Structure formats: structure tokens, C-alpha cells
């Protein structure tokens, strides 16, 4: 039985802790804040409750597997997991709206044909077939196996089977997601539907590789889910309680200030209070810059490894408390697409990043009595992708945040009738709050690992150049997102228990 120190109580870190404890190790989690869950936070006021991180769960099989492997009670015995149907409603720039059923390719095709015209659904369905092929090619190396030592093979190959496109005298294949939308979908609304998946993850579809197609595929193939009874924060609670049941020890308010190394191998962690905690293994769930600081500034990765990603996009969230109950038949999620997508992308990913005047806004309206004081009120969450903090002081000011919140509320009024008249109060959460919750200084949110693109969307391997030191969570393989966090925990546990010969789940 080894002593294992886990730095951080995010979802990936807790997933690793639970699996390692089941394997017979003594696991202690050191968390600098007073709670668990990382990005899966909760805000409460006046009887209203809101998720402050992700509001929907794709690919729940990852977390089901965790509960199967760590105890007798399945996930569904610990939380009320429900499919969201329709999976989403979309309001496009021209006013067209469509509701898409959950995990039903035939249903989605029929809905798109009815809303956008004959042929639209078939083009989207054909795209999903190609996206499935991409998923089959990349699922194991990007999600289920430790990062290959010859990772450059993943970086060089574009696994999306693009349709040949004749342009002037040349025949080309789509290399970016935007080109997939323009050349294969051939409808501005379908392109907006496709590109919205990249944008929601903080990716520019004009530069994101074509195999970003796996992101919408995951949703349309496996569905999206919600945890009734308090939102996705309840998933974090369930994982935390599973850790406790497996005798994982949590020390909250315990900030790790250094990782101790002896003879090229980790020997423990130093705490802010001055204590030294010995450990044979250390699992780090913190951002790359924090890990480097804990290692005294020494390089964590070798020169021939995937470099750590830094920066990126963040999220602005507006929490709305409304008078009046949630109308029957309301979609759980509505995406109101930008009036000018190109201008939005230029503004967000340009030389002077900022938020467009009327950006793409996601509106979440859960049917969950646990979120409201009574049936005569509704809790609504608005979110938009924004630049991460970069030191520009005006991005975090109260005035700028208030102005941006008003912009989001104006856009959301297209999805929520009488929104202004129903509004009791609203709360704004900026990238600064994301930074406080996650410990990432600029509030950036990590993106999922993707192939191709020269490897710039891969994440560093879970092992490091220091023996016994591993990394887990969104800033290491396989990248950001709730499913990826759970997979990351499984990979780290496998590497610790089975050693460098571990090749992933079978």
C-alpha cells in the first residue's frame, strides 16, 4: 500500500483518488479551498440555486464506469440522472428555430428537414456518419489510452474523412471545422449549428481541425444528461461521497506550496502551514503554471513531449432569478446564435479579444424544483464564451461586467418571453470567478484533446519527467470537459497501479 498525495479536489482528481483507494492505497487529497468539485460549483440566494460550471453532462458512461469500479452502488443510485429532451433548441440569426431530439439521428434529420428545408437533415445526417468514423478512429488514442510516446502521429494525421470539394481548378478537402460547415453542410444555419459546438468549448471553428466533428457527434450519439435535484453540483457531491466511502481523506483549506523530490522521485508535498507530508506518489490536478511553481520552476516535461497548453477562452455566466413558473414544454437548453457569426469570431479571437455586442448565448432552463423556492419561480442560466483574463484591468470591472450581462439578457429575451418583466435579480460570474474556483490564474477553461493541427490541441501526457509525479484533469491528457476529466482519472490510476506498461481500458 502506497501513500498517495492528490493536489486539488476537482473532478479528475477525485476520480483518480477513488480508483486508487479501491486499489488499496492510502490517498489524501489536499484542496486549497473549502470545498470539492473544482469548476462544478453552486451559487445560492433567496431560495434559488444555480450550477456555476457546466450545466449538462455528455457521455455519462464515463462516470457510470467510475461508480461500477469503485463500489456496489451504481451512479443512478446516488444521483437522479435524466436525459434532456429535446437536447437543444436553436434560434438562428434569420429567426428560424428548431428543436432537436436527444440521441436520435432519425429524429434530428426529420426536425432539420422540417425547419430548414428538404435536404438539410440529410446533409447533417451524412455529416454525423463521417463524424462517427472520426470518433472510431480517435476514441482510444485520445480518450482511453495514455498519450502515445510517438504522439506526433496523432498530430500529423487529420482523421476526419472529408468529402472532396471542387474549388476553381482544384479539389480540396476540409481541414477546419468551418470548411466542413461551408463545403459539406452548405447552409448558414447548419454551419452555425456545427460551429456552435466548437465555440462552446472556446475554439475558433475557422482554425479548429475538421476532427472537432467528434464534439457534436458525442452529443448526438450518446445524448446529453442533467442531474435532477440540484444540477451537476450533485454529481460532484456523489463522487466526493464515493471517495469518502473508499476512505479517501480530504484536507480542505490545505494549500500545497511545494513538491518534494529525492533522487529523481517524488517524496511528498509541502503545505503552506510548513508541514511536510510524505508520499510515494503525487497526483497533481492543478494548472501547468501552478505545477511548475510547486516544482521550484524546474521543467515538468521533456523537450520532446507535448508542451503544456496555456491561456485560451473562458466563460461569462449570468444567473437569473425569475418570477413566474417555468412554462410546460420549455426546452432545457436553447442556443441563440449570433446575428453575425464572422464578426463574433473576429471579436473573440482577434488581435484585441472581446465579446461581440450580440454573441451566441446558451440559455439553460432546467425543470428542477430543487433550484427554486417554489413553483412560482424559475432559475435560468445564461452563458457565453469570452476571452480569458489577460491582465487588462477593464475586463474585470463591475461596470464592464454589468454591461456585458445586459447584453446577454437582451439576447436571451429571444428565447425567454417577457424576460425583463419577470426578472427579480441577476448575478454575474466572470472569468475572475472561474479563476477563483479552479485556481487557473486567467480563468481559462481547457479544451478537449483533438488530433491533427500539428498537435496544438493535444495535452501533455499524465506522466512527467519526475518518477511518481502524475497529472490529472483538464490541463493534461485527454483535456477539458467532464467526460475527459473522468477518463483522465482512470488513466492516472492505471498508470500508478500497473506502471508504465498500462495501455488503457479494454
Amino acid at each position: 500500500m502506497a501513500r498517495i498525495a492528490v493536489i486539488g479536489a476537482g473532478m479528475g482528481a477525485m476520480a483518480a483518488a477513488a480508483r486508487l483507494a479501491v486499489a488499496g492505497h492510502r490517498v489524501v487529497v489536499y484542496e486549497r479551498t473549502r470545498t470539492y468539485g473544482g469548476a462544478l460549483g453552486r451559487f445560492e440566494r433567496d431560495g434559488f440555486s444555480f450550477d456555476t460550471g457546466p450545466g449538462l453532462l455528455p457521455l455519462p458512461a464515463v462516470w457510470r464506469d467510475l461508480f461500477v469500479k469503485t463500489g456496489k452502488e451504481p451512479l443512478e443510485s446516488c444521483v437522479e440522472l435524466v436525459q434532456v429532451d429535446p437536447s437543444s433548441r436553436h434560434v438562428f440569426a434569420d429567426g428560424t428555430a428548431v428543436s432537436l431530439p436527444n440521441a436520435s439521428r432519425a429524429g434530428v434529420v426529420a426536425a432539420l428537414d422540417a425547419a430548414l428545408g428538404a435536404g438539410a437533415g440529410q446533409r447533417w445526417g451524412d455529416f454525423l456518419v463521417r463524424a462517427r468514423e472520426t470518433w472510431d478512429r480517435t476514441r482510444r488514442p485520445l480518450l482511453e489510452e495514455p498519450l502515445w510516446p510517438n504522439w506526433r502521429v496523432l498530430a500529423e494525421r487529420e482523421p476526419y474523412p472529408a468529402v472532396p470539394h471542387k474549388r476553381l481548378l482544384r479539389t480540396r478537402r476540409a481541414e477546419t471545422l468551418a470548411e466542413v460547415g461551408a463545403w459539406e453542410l452548405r447552409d448558414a444555419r447548419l454551419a452555425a449549428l456545427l460551429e456552435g459546438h466548437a465555440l462552446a468549448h472556446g475554439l475558433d471553428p475557422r482554425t479548429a481541425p475538421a476532427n472537432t466533428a467528434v464534439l457534436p457527434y458525442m452529443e448526438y450519439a450518446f445524448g446529453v444528461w442533467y442531474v435532477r435535484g440540484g444540477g451537476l453540483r450533485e454529481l460532484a457531491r456523489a463522487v466526493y461521497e464515493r471517495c469518502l466511502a473508499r476512505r479517501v481523506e480530504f484536507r480542505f483549506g490545505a494549500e500545497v506550496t511545494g513538491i518534494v523530490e529525492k533522487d529523481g522521485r517524488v517524496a511528498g508535498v509541502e503545505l503552506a502551514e510548513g508541514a511536510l507530508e510524505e508520499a510515494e506518489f503525487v497526483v497533481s490536478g492543478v494548472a501547468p503554471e501552478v505545477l511548475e511553481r510547486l516544482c521550484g520552476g524546474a521543467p515538468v516535461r521533456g523537450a520532446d513531449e507535448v508542451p503544456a497548453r496555456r491561456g485560451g477562452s473562458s466563460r461569462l455566466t449570468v444567473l437569473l432569478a425569475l418570477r413566474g413558473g417555468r412554462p410546460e414544454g420549455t426546452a432545457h437548453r436553447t442556443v441563440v446564435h449570433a446575428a453575425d457569426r464572422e464578426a463574433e469570431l473576429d471579436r473573440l479571437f482577434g488581435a484585441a479579444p472581446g465579446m461581440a455586442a450580440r454573441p451566441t448565448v446558451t440559455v439553460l432552463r432546467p425543470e428542477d424544483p430543487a433550484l427554486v423556492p417554489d413553483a412560482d419561480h424559475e432559475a435560468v442560466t445564461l452563458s457565453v464564451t469570452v476571452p480569458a483574463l489577460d491582465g487588462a484591468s477593464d475586463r474585470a470591472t463591475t461596470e464592464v461586467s454589468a454591461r456585458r450581462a445586459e447584453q446577454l439578457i437582451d439576447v436571451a429575451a429571444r428565447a425567454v418571453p417577457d424576460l425583463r418583466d419577470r426578472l427579480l435579480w441577476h448575478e454575474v460570474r466572470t472569468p475572475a470567478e472561474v479563476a477563483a474556483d479552479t485556481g487557473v490564474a486567467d480563468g481559462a477553461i481547457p479544451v478537449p484533446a483533438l488530433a491533427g493541427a500539428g498537435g496544438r490541441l493535444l495535452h501533455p501526457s499524465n506522466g512527467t519527467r519526475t518518477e511518481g509525479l502524475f497529472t490529472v484533469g483538464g490541463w493534461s491528457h485527454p483535456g477539458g470537459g467532464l467526460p475527459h476529466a473522468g477518463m483522465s482519472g482512470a488513466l492516472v490510476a492505471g498508470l500508478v497501479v500497473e506502471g508504465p506498461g498500462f495501455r488503457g481500458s479494454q
Side-chain angles (χ1 to χ4, degrees):
M1 179 179 73
R3 292 168 296 181
I4 300 178
V6 178
I7 307 174
M11 294 299 287
M14 289 199 295
R19 290 177 181 269
L20 289 168
V22 167
H25 299 294
R26 181 195 170 203
V27 183
V28 181
V29 177
Y30 301 91
E31 169 57 48
R32 64 182 178 83
T33 71
R34 296 292 176 180
T35 190
Y36 54 83
L40 289 188
R42 174 181 284 160
F43 178 85
E44 296 178 332
R45 174 181 165 186
D46 300 341
F48 291 88
S49 181
F50 304 86
D51 278 324
T52 57
L56 291 171
L57 177 65
L59 207 60
V62 173
W63 298 98
R64 290 189 178 115
D65 181 71
L66 173 71
F67 277 74
V68 167
K69 299 291 176 57
T70 60
K72 296 180 180 179
E73 283 187 307
L75 177 61
E76 278 81 353
S77 295
C78 303
V79 296
E80 185 182 356
L81 199 61
V82 295
Q83 270 194 311
V84 174
D85 202 10
S87 68
S88 58
R89 178 173 179 264
H90 293 264
V91 180
F92 298 106
D94 65 354
T96 307
V98 61
S99 292
L100 302 178
N102 201 341
S104 170
R105 179 178 177 274
V108 168
V109 168
L112 290 173
D113 274 341
L116 308 186
Q122 186 61 51
R123 290 195 298 277
W124 183 260
D126 291 344
F127 158 74
L128 288 180
V129 171
R130 294 188 291 275
R132 177 179 179 174
E133 186 173 338
T134 309
W135 168 262
D136 290 339
R137 292 175 176 178
T138 60
R139 176 176 57 88
R140 285 198 61 82
L142 285 184
L143 299 178
E144 297 179 355
E145 298 177 345
L147 186 65
W148 294 349
N150 60 336
W151 57 268
R152 287 181 178 82
V153 174
L154 298 173
E156 294 165 357
R157 296 178 180 174
E158 171 51 65
Y160 178 77
V163 176
H165 171 73
K166 289 186 178 181
R167 189 176 185 183
L168 298 178
L169 299 178
R170 298 177 58 193
T171 298
R172 295 186 54 194
R173 294 178 185 270
E175 296 179 354
T176 68
L177 196 70
E179 289 175 342
V180 172
W183 299 349
E184 298 180 10
L185 298 180
R186 304 191 308 279
D187 184 300
R189 296 161 298 184
L190 288 179
L193 176 61
L194 173 65
E195 293 179 5
H197 289 275
L199 185 60
H201 286 86
L203 294 168
D204 184 347
R206 301 170 302 183
T207 59
N211 71 92
T212 307
V214 298
L215 300 180
Y217 173 78
M218 286 172 59
E219 177 171 317
Y220 290 99
F222 308 115
V224 287
W225 303 71
Y226 174 74
V227 181
R228 185 173 287 146
L232 263 65
R233 174 65 180 178
E234 288 299 294
L235 175 64
R237 174 197 56 76
V239 175
Y240 169 67
E241 291 180 351
R242 176 53 55 90
C243 286
L244 292 179
R246 301 284 79 82
R247 298 186 178 180
V248 174
E249 180 182 348
F250 285 81
R251 298 187 188 177
F252 295 108
E255 182 177 3
V256 174
T257 55
I259 294 175
V260 180
E261 180 182 329
K262 184 178 180 180
D263 299 329
R265 182 181 177 86
V266 293
V269 296
E270 295 176 341
L271 302 182
E273 62 191 32
L276 171 62
E277 301 286 339
E278 295 182 350
E280 284 82 32
F281 295 93
V282 173
V283 176
S284 172
V286 299
E289 63 271 19
V290 177
L291 179 58
E292 288 180 2
R293 186 173 70 247
L294 298 181
C295 293
V300 178
R301 313 285 178 185
D304 60 343
E305 295 183 72
V306 175
R309 289 182 54 83
R310 302 175 191 275
S313 299
S314 188
R315 184 177 295 114
L316 178 73
T317 305
V318 182
L319 313 176
L320 308 178
L322 305 184
R323 62 171 61 88
R326 179 182 185 272
E328 186 176 352
T330 296
H332 186 118
R333 174 178 55 171
T334 298
V335 180
V336 183
H337 292 270
D340 188 334
R341 173 56 59 82
E342 194 68 23
E344 177 184 35
L345 297 177
D346 286 342
R347 185 76 180 96
L348 182 56
F349 299 105
M355 191 182 87
R358 298 186 68 81
T360 298
V361 176
T362 298
V363 183
L364 297 182
R365 305 177 69 183
E367 183 183 4
D368 189 347
L371 304 183
V372 291
D374 54 50
D376 293 326
H377 294 86
E378 184 180 6
V380 176
T381 301
L382 316 179
S383 63
V384 64
T385 298
V386 296
L389 300 170
D390 64 357
S393 59
D394 65 336
R395 291 216 179 126
T397 63
T398 301
E399 179 183 350
V400 170
S401 297
R403 185 168 66 247
R404 288 178 170 177
E406 292 299 321
Q407 290 174 265
L408 265 63
I409 293 172
D410 284 342
V411 172
R414 296 183 63 193
V416 186
D418 304 320
L419 175 56
R420 290 285 184 182
D421 293 336
R422 297 178 58 197
L423 185 59
L424 291 171
W425 51 262
H426 70 270
E427 182 79 18
V428 185
R429 293 183 56 84
T430 71
E433 280 75 38
V434 176
D437 288 344
T438 63
V440 180
D442 59 4
I445 297 172
V447 301
L450 294 169
R456 63 183 174 82
L457 294 177
L458 294 175
H459 291 266
S461 63
N462 306 104
T464 69
R465 60 189 302 175
T466 301
E467 188 178 356
L469 175 61
F470 296 89
T471 61
V472 72
W475 296 102
S476 58
H477 181 70
L482 269 177
H484 301 72
M487 294 171 184
S488 179
L491 292 174
V492 168
L495 289 167
V496 171
V497 173
E498 299 186 25
F502 175 67
R503 291 294 177 265
S505 59
Q506 300 298 320

